[in-house]
Amino acid sequence: MKCKKCKTKAVIGLPRHNAAFCKPCFNEFVHDQVARAVKSERMFGPKDRILVAVSGGKDSLALWDILLKLGYRADGLYVDLGIAGYSARSREKVERFAETTGKRHQATLLIHTVQEEEGAGIRELADLVNRPTCSACGTIKRYQFNRAAVDHDYDVMATGHNLDDEAARLLGNVLHWQEEYLEKQGPSLPASVEGFAKKVKPLYRLAERELAAYAVLNRIDYIVEECPMAKGSKMLLYKDVLNRLEIESPGTKQSFYWGFLDKQAKAQPAPVSMAEKDQATLHPCSLCHQPTTAEICSYCRMMARAKAGSLR
Amino acid sequence: MRVQLSHPERQVEVKGPKRVRELLRDLNLIQEAYLVIRGDDLVTEDELLKDEDEVEVRPVISGG
Protein backbone atom coordinates (compact mmCIF):
# COMPACT_ATOMS: atom_id res chain seq x y z
CA MET A 1 0.00 0.00 0.00
CA LYS A 2 1.42 3.42 -0.98
CA CYS A 3 0.85 6.82 0.61
CA LYS A 4 -1.75 8.75 -1.40
CA LYS A 5 0.21 11.99 -1.06
CA CYS A 6 3.91 11.16 -1.34
CA LYS A 7 3.80 7.60 -2.80
CA THR A 8 6.17 6.13 -0.17
CA LYS A 9 5.23 3.02 1.85
CA ALA A 10 1.97 3.58 3.77
CA VAL A 11 1.52 2.72 7.45
CA ILE A 12 -2.29 2.92 7.50
CA GLY A 13 -5.14 2.57 5.03
CA LEU A 14 -8.26 4.71 5.44
CA PRO A 15 -11.04 3.11 3.38
CA ARG A 16 -13.57 5.84 4.34
CA HIS A 17 -11.36 8.41 2.59
CA ASN A 18 -10.25 5.99 -0.10
CA ALA A 19 -6.69 6.79 1.00
CA ALA A 20 -3.55 5.44 2.67
CA PHE A 21 -0.81 7.48 4.33
CA CYS A 22 2.82 7.23 5.48
CA LYS A 23 3.56 8.48 9.00
CA PRO A 24 4.32 12.17 8.22
CA CYS A 25 1.34 12.48 5.84
CA PHE A 26 -0.95 10.70 8.33
CA ASN A 27 0.08 13.12 11.10
CA GLU A 28 -0.64 15.99 8.74
CA PHE A 29 -4.06 14.45 7.95
CA VAL A 30 -4.91 14.12 11.68
CA HIS A 31 -3.77 17.67 12.53
CA ASP A 32 -5.70 18.99 9.54
CA GLN A 33 -8.93 17.21 10.61
CA VAL A 34 -8.65 18.74 14.10
CA ALA A 35 -7.86 22.20 12.71
CA ARG A 36 -10.94 21.92 10.44
CA ALA A 37 -13.13 20.85 13.37
CA VAL A 38 -11.87 23.75 15.54
CA LYS A 39 -12.44 26.28 12.75
CA SER A 40 -15.77 25.09 11.37
CA GLU A 41 -17.37 24.76 14.83
CA ARG A 42 -15.71 27.94 16.16
CA MET A 43 -14.36 25.98 19.13
CA PHE A 44 -11.54 28.27 20.29
CA GLY A 45 -8.86 30.67 19.11
CA PRO A 46 -5.06 30.87 19.53
CA LYS A 47 -5.30 33.01 22.66
CA ASP A 48 -7.91 30.92 24.49
CA ARG A 49 -6.93 28.77 27.48
CA ILE A 50 -8.14 25.22 26.96
CA LEU A 51 -8.62 22.55 29.63
CA VAL A 52 -8.35 19.04 28.17
CA ALA A 53 -10.04 16.24 30.12
CA VAL A 54 -7.45 13.44 30.05
CA SER A 55 -8.12 9.85 31.12
CA GLY A 56 -4.86 8.12 30.13
CA GLY A 57 -6.58 6.57 27.12
CA LYS A 58 -5.50 7.11 23.50
CA ASP A 59 -8.13 9.68 22.52
CA SER A 60 -7.61 12.25 25.27
CA LEU A 61 -3.81 11.98 25.26
CA ALA A 62 -3.79 12.24 21.45
CA LEU A 63 -6.04 15.31 21.73
CA TRP A 64 -3.72 16.99 24.22
CA ASP A 65 -0.71 16.15 22.02
CA ILE A 66 -2.38 17.48 18.85
CA LEU A 67 -3.56 20.75 20.47
CA LEU A 68 -0.08 21.43 21.87
CA LYS A 69 1.55 20.67 18.51
CA LEU A 70 -0.93 22.96 16.76
CA GLY A 71 0.29 25.71 19.13
CA TYR A 72 -2.75 26.01 21.41
CA ARG A 73 -2.55 26.82 25.13
CA ALA A 74 -3.87 23.54 26.53
CA ASP A 75 -3.59 22.20 30.10
CA GLY A 76 -4.80 18.78 31.27
CA LEU A 77 -7.24 17.67 33.96
CA TYR A 78 -7.21 14.12 35.28
CA VAL A 79 -10.03 12.95 37.53
CA ASP A 80 -8.91 9.99 39.64
CA LEU A 81 -12.06 7.89 40.05
CA GLY A 82 -10.53 5.42 42.51
CA ILE A 83 -11.11 2.26 40.42
CA ALA A 84 -8.83 -0.34 42.01
CA GLY A 85 -5.58 -0.71 40.04
CA TYR A 86 -6.99 0.75 36.83
CA SER A 87 -7.05 4.36 38.08
CA ALA A 88 -3.45 4.15 39.35
CA ARG A 89 -2.25 2.75 36.00
CA SER A 90 -4.11 5.32 33.90
CA ARG A 91 -2.99 8.18 36.18
CA GLU A 92 0.63 7.11 35.71
CA LYS A 93 0.26 7.34 31.91
CA VAL A 94 -1.19 10.86 32.20
CA GLU A 95 1.51 12.02 34.61
CA ARG A 96 4.28 10.67 32.38
CA PHE A 97 2.80 12.41 29.33
CA ALA A 98 2.50 15.68 31.30
CA GLU A 99 6.12 15.44 32.47
CA THR A 100 7.45 14.92 28.94
CA THR A 101 5.32 16.36 26.13
CA GLY A 102 3.32 18.64 28.44
CA LYS A 103 6.38 20.18 30.02
CA ARG A 104 8.02 20.79 26.62
CA HIS A 105 5.02 22.95 25.71
CA GLN A 106 4.72 24.66 29.14
CA ALA A 107 1.43 22.85 29.81
CA THR A 108 0.34 21.86 33.32
CA LEU A 109 -1.69 18.98 34.70
CA LEU A 110 -4.46 19.34 37.30
CA ILE A 111 -5.50 16.27 39.27
CA HIS A 112 -8.78 15.81 41.16
CA THR A 113 -9.21 12.74 43.35
CA VAL A 114 -12.83 11.69 43.95
CA GLN A 115 -11.83 9.56 46.95
CA GLU A 116 -10.22 12.57 48.66
CA GLU A 117 -13.08 14.93 47.86
CA GLU A 118 -16.04 12.66 48.59
CA GLY A 119 -14.58 10.00 50.86
CA ALA A 120 -15.26 7.11 48.47
CA GLY A 121 -14.31 5.86 45.00
CA ILE A 122 -16.70 5.68 42.07
CA ARG A 123 -17.67 2.03 42.56
CA GLU A 124 -18.60 2.54 46.19
CA LEU A 125 -20.49 5.77 45.41
CA ALA A 126 -22.48 4.04 42.64
CA ASP A 127 -23.37 1.20 45.02
CA LEU A 128 -24.46 3.63 47.72
CA VAL A 129 -26.82 5.50 45.39
CA ASN A 130 -27.90 2.30 43.66
CA ARG A 131 -26.96 3.46 40.15
CA PRO A 132 -24.98 1.69 37.41
CA THR A 133 -21.28 2.58 37.82
CA CYS A 134 -20.94 4.10 34.31
CA SER A 135 -23.92 6.38 34.85
CA ALA A 136 -22.64 7.64 38.24
CA CYS A 137 -19.19 8.03 36.65
CA GLY A 138 -20.66 10.18 33.85
CA THR A 139 -22.32 12.52 36.37
CA ILE A 140 -19.13 12.83 38.43
CA LYS A 141 -16.84 13.47 35.45
CA ARG A 142 -19.14 16.05 33.82
CA TYR A 143 -19.42 17.87 37.13
CA GLN A 144 -15.71 17.76 37.95
CA PHE A 145 -14.62 18.88 34.46
CA ASN A 146 -17.07 21.75 34.37
CA ARG A 147 -16.27 22.96 37.87
CA ALA A 148 -12.50 22.83 37.29
CA ALA A 149 -12.80 24.74 33.99
CA VAL A 150 -14.93 27.45 35.61
CA ASP A 151 -12.93 27.69 38.87
CA HIS A 152 -9.60 27.98 37.04
CA ASP A 153 -10.92 30.48 34.44
CA TYR A 154 -10.40 28.35 31.32
CA ASP A 155 -12.14 29.64 28.20
CA VAL A 156 -13.18 26.20 27.04
CA MET A 157 -13.15 22.55 28.07
CA ALA A 158 -12.16 19.92 25.49
CA THR A 159 -12.88 16.19 25.58
CA GLY A 160 -11.47 13.37 23.44
CA HIS A 161 -14.80 12.12 22.04
CA ASN A 162 -14.16 10.73 18.56
CA LEU A 163 -16.33 9.91 15.55
CA ASP A 164 -17.06 6.39 16.86
CA ASP A 165 -18.14 7.74 20.27
CA GLU A 166 -20.48 10.28 18.74
CA ALA A 167 -21.94 7.93 16.11
CA ALA A 168 -22.55 5.23 18.77
CA ARG A 169 -24.17 7.73 21.10
CA LEU A 170 -26.35 9.02 18.27
CA LEU A 171 -27.39 5.46 17.41
CA GLY A 172 -28.34 4.82 21.05
CA ASN A 173 -30.34 8.05 21.27
CA VAL A 174 -32.14 7.39 17.98
CA LEU A 175 -32.90 3.74 18.85
CA HIS A 176 -34.66 4.93 22.00
CA TRP A 177 -35.95 8.19 20.46
CA GLN A 178 -34.34 10.24 23.19
CA GLU A 179 -34.94 13.45 21.29
CA GLU A 180 -34.18 15.64 24.28
CA TYR A 181 -30.55 14.38 24.15
CA LEU A 182 -30.13 14.93 20.40
CA GLU A 183 -29.98 18.69 20.79
CA LYS A 184 -26.89 18.41 22.99
CA GLN A 185 -24.99 16.08 20.67
CA GLY A 186 -23.11 18.72 18.75
CA PRO A 187 -19.31 19.05 18.90
CA SER A 188 -19.46 22.55 20.39
CA LEU A 189 -21.74 23.47 23.29
CA PRO A 190 -21.90 27.13 24.38
CA ALA A 191 -21.26 28.47 27.87
CA SER A 192 -24.95 29.30 28.00
CA VAL A 193 -25.22 30.37 31.63
CA GLU A 194 -22.96 31.61 34.40
CA GLY A 195 -21.11 28.61 35.84
CA PHE A 196 -21.24 26.55 32.65
CA ALA A 197 -17.98 26.16 30.71
CA LYS A 198 -18.02 26.01 26.92
CA LYS A 199 -17.49 22.35 25.89
CA VAL A 200 -15.94 21.13 22.64
CA LYS A 201 -15.04 17.81 20.97
CA PRO A 202 -12.22 18.55 18.50
CA LEU A 203 -11.80 14.87 17.52
CA TYR A 204 -15.31 14.32 16.10
CA ARG A 205 -13.95 14.09 12.55
CA LEU A 206 -11.51 11.24 13.42
CA ALA A 207 -12.33 7.54 13.85
CA GLU A 208 -11.23 5.66 16.94
CA ARG A 209 -8.84 3.49 14.91
CA GLU A 210 -7.18 6.60 13.47
CA LEU A 211 -6.57 7.98 16.97
CA ALA A 212 -5.09 4.70 18.18
CA ALA A 213 -2.83 4.75 15.10
CA TYR A 214 -1.81 8.35 15.87
CA ALA A 215 -0.92 7.37 19.45
CA VAL A 216 1.12 4.32 18.33
CA LEU A 217 2.94 6.19 15.57
CA ASN A 218 3.82 9.11 17.84
CA ARG A 219 4.90 6.89 20.75
CA ILE A 220 2.18 8.17 23.06
CA ASP A 221 2.11 5.63 25.88
CA TYR A 222 -1.60 5.15 26.71
CA ILE A 223 -3.60 2.64 28.74
CA VAL A 224 -4.61 -0.16 26.35
CA GLU A 225 -6.58 -2.17 28.89
CA GLU A 226 -10.32 -1.47 28.99
CA CYS A 227 -11.92 0.11 32.07
CA PRO A 228 -13.14 -2.91 34.10
CA MET A 229 -16.53 -1.18 34.50
CA ALA A 230 -17.16 -0.90 30.74
CA LYS A 231 -17.42 -4.63 30.10
CA GLY A 232 -20.71 -5.43 28.39
CA SER A 233 -21.59 -1.73 27.97
CA LYS A 234 -24.20 -0.73 25.38
CA MET A 235 -21.70 1.68 23.82
CA LEU A 236 -19.41 -1.23 22.92
CA LEU A 237 -22.32 -3.02 21.26
CA TYR A 238 -23.34 0.05 19.24
CA LYS A 239 -19.73 0.61 18.17
CA ASP A 240 -19.41 -3.00 17.06
CA VAL A 241 -22.61 -2.78 15.01
CA LEU A 242 -21.45 0.45 13.35
CA ASN A 243 -18.01 -1.01 12.60
CA ARG A 244 -19.61 -4.02 10.91
CA LEU A 245 -21.57 -1.62 8.71
CA GLU A 246 -18.40 0.43 8.12
CA ILE A 247 -16.52 -2.62 6.81
CA GLU A 248 -19.29 -3.37 4.30
CA SER A 249 -19.76 0.26 3.40
CA PRO A 250 -16.84 2.57 4.27
CA GLY A 251 -17.95 6.04 5.34
CA THR A 252 -21.12 4.87 7.13
CA LYS A 253 -20.12 6.31 10.53
CA GLN A 254 -19.21 9.73 9.20
CA SER A 255 -22.26 10.01 6.97
CA PHE A 256 -24.47 9.01 9.94
CA TYR A 257 -23.01 11.53 12.42
CA TRP A 258 -21.97 14.35 10.09
CA GLY A 259 -25.29 13.98 8.24
CA PHE A 260 -27.06 14.42 11.57
CA LEU A 261 -25.01 17.56 12.29
CA ASP A 262 -25.85 18.99 8.84
CA LYS A 263 -29.56 18.40 9.36
CA GLN A 264 -29.38 19.88 12.84
CA ALA A 265 -27.61 22.99 11.54
CA LYS A 266 -30.29 23.47 8.87
CA ALA A 267 -33.20 22.81 11.21
CA GLN A 268 -31.91 25.14 13.95
CA PRO A 269 -30.04 27.97 12.32
CA ALA A 270 -29.47 29.74 15.63
CA PRO A 271 -27.18 28.17 18.23
CA VAL A 272 -28.73 30.88 20.36
CA SER A 273 -31.85 28.80 20.82
CA MET A 274 -29.97 26.27 22.96
CA ALA A 275 -28.38 29.03 24.99
CA GLU A 276 -31.76 30.72 25.43
CA LYS A 277 -33.33 27.46 26.49
CA ASP A 278 -30.55 26.88 29.02
CA GLN A 279 -30.91 30.40 30.37
CA ALA A 280 -34.63 29.82 30.88
CA THR A 281 -34.27 26.45 32.61
CA LEU A 282 -30.94 26.56 34.48
CA HIS A 283 -30.15 28.31 37.74
CA PRO A 284 -27.48 27.84 40.43
CA CYS A 285 -27.68 24.73 42.63
CA SER A 286 -28.65 25.80 46.16
CA LEU A 287 -25.72 23.82 47.60
CA CYS A 288 -22.75 24.16 45.20
CA HIS A 289 -23.95 26.98 42.85
CA GLN A 290 -23.21 24.97 39.68
CA PRO A 291 -25.97 25.28 37.03
CA THR A 292 -28.88 22.83 37.31
CA THR A 293 -32.54 22.50 36.30
CA ALA A 294 -33.49 21.35 39.81
CA GLU A 295 -33.25 22.96 43.22
CA ILE A 296 -30.20 20.79 44.04
CA CYS A 297 -27.96 19.51 41.19
CA SER A 298 -27.67 15.80 40.36
CA TYR A 299 -24.08 15.68 41.70
CA CYS A 300 -25.01 17.09 45.11
CA ARG A 301 -28.12 14.86 45.24
CA MET A 302 -25.96 11.84 44.47
CA MET A 303 -23.39 12.73 47.14
CA ALA A 304 -26.15 13.38 49.70
CA ARG A 305 -27.67 9.96 48.95
CA ALA A 306 -24.22 8.36 49.14
CA LYS A 307 -23.59 9.96 52.54
CA ALA A 308 -27.02 8.90 53.83
CA GLY A 309 -26.39 5.38 52.49
CA SER A 310 -23.01 5.12 54.17
CA LEU A 311 -24.51 6.09 57.55
CA ARG A 312 -27.11 3.34 57.40
CA MET B 1 4.26 -16.35 13.78
CA ARG B 2 3.58 -15.30 17.35
CA VAL B 3 0.48 -13.12 17.73
CA GLN B 4 -0.14 -11.08 20.89
CA LEU B 5 -3.84 -10.44 21.63
CA SER B 6 -5.59 -8.35 24.34
CA HIS B 7 -8.82 -8.49 26.37
CA PRO B 8 -7.83 -10.93 27.77
CA GLU B 9 -4.08 -10.85 27.17
CA ARG B 10 -2.88 -14.00 25.42
CA GLN B 11 -0.53 -15.26 22.70
CA VAL B 12 -1.38 -17.56 19.81
CA GLU B 13 0.78 -19.20 17.12
CA VAL B 14 -0.38 -18.74 13.53
CA LYS B 15 1.28 -20.33 10.50
CA GLY B 16 2.87 -17.83 8.10
CA PRO B 17 3.36 -16.42 5.56
CA LYS B 18 0.04 -14.66 5.71
CA ARG B 19 -1.34 -11.26 4.79
CA VAL B 20 -2.56 -9.01 7.65
CA ARG B 21 -6.05 -9.01 6.15
CA GLU B 22 -6.13 -12.83 6.23
CA LEU B 23 -4.71 -13.00 9.75
CA LEU B 24 -7.57 -10.81 11.03
CA ARG B 25 -10.12 -12.83 9.08
CA ASP B 26 -8.75 -16.12 10.52
CA LEU B 27 -8.95 -14.67 14.03
CA ASN B 28 -12.52 -13.51 13.29
CA LEU B 29 -11.64 -9.86 13.99
CA ILE B 30 -12.84 -6.86 11.99
CA GLN B 31 -10.25 -4.48 10.54
CA GLU B 32 -12.02 -1.34 11.72
CA ALA B 33 -11.60 -2.36 15.38
CA TYR B 34 -7.91 -3.40 15.40
CA LEU B 35 -4.40 -2.26 14.58
CA VAL B 36 -1.64 -4.70 13.71
CA ILE B 37 1.75 -3.69 15.09
CA ARG B 38 5.12 -5.27 14.21
CA GLY B 39 8.00 -3.98 16.34
CA ASP B 40 7.29 -0.24 16.61
CA ASP B 41 5.51 -0.02 13.26
CA LEU B 42 1.95 -0.28 12.07
CA VAL B 43 1.40 -2.69 9.21
CA THR B 44 -1.27 -2.26 6.54
CA GLU B 45 -3.81 -4.92 5.55
CA ASP B 46 -1.97 -5.95 2.36
CA GLU B 47 1.36 -6.57 4.14
CA LEU B 48 2.71 -10.13 4.06
CA LEU B 49 3.68 -11.38 7.52
CA LYS B 50 6.45 -13.99 7.70
CA ASP B 51 6.33 -17.14 9.80
CA GLU B 52 9.09 -15.80 12.06
CA ASP B 53 7.36 -12.43 12.68
CA GLU B 54 6.00 -11.36 16.05
CA VAL B 55 2.96 -9.10 15.87
CA GLU B 56 0.51 -7.47 18.23
CA VAL B 57 -3.16 -7.26 17.29
CA ARG B 58 -4.33 -4.32 19.36
CA PRO B 59 -8.03 -3.54 19.93
CA VAL B 60 -8.81 0.16 19.45
CA ILE B 61 -12.40 0.38 20.62
CA SER B 62 -13.19 1.50 24.15
CA GLY B 63 -16.47 1.61 25.98
CA GLY B 64 -16.40 5.21 27.25
Side-chain angles (χ1 to χ4, degrees), chain A residues 1 9 208-209 239 253, chain B residues 32 34 45-47 62:
Chain A
M1 213 179 268
K9 191 172 157 49
E208 197 148 1
R209 184 170 184 268
K239 284 183 176 183
K253 287 185 287 194
Chain B
E32 189 65 15
Y34 294 87
E45 290 69 45
D46 60 339
E47 186 94 7
S62 60

Side-chain angles (χ1 to χ4, degrees), chain B residues 5 23-31 34 57:
Chain B
L5 297 159
L23 172 69
L24 290 174
R25 195 183 304 144
D26 290 355
L27 294 167
N28 205 17
L29 302 174
I30 54 171
Q31 264 175 44
Y34 294 87
V57 176

Side-chain angles (χ1 to χ4, degrees), chain A residues 67-97:
Chain A
L67 294 180
L68 291 174
K69 285 178 180 162
L70 287 174
Y72 288 107
R73 300 168 68 196
D75 290 336
L77 168 68
Y78 176 79
V79 176
D80 189 325
L81 296 157
I83 300 168
Y86 183 77
S87 288
R89 288 191 290 278
S90 58
R91 180 172 172 158
E92 200 187 303
K93 305 279 184 197
V94 173
E95 286 176 329
R96 197 172 306 151
F97 183 88

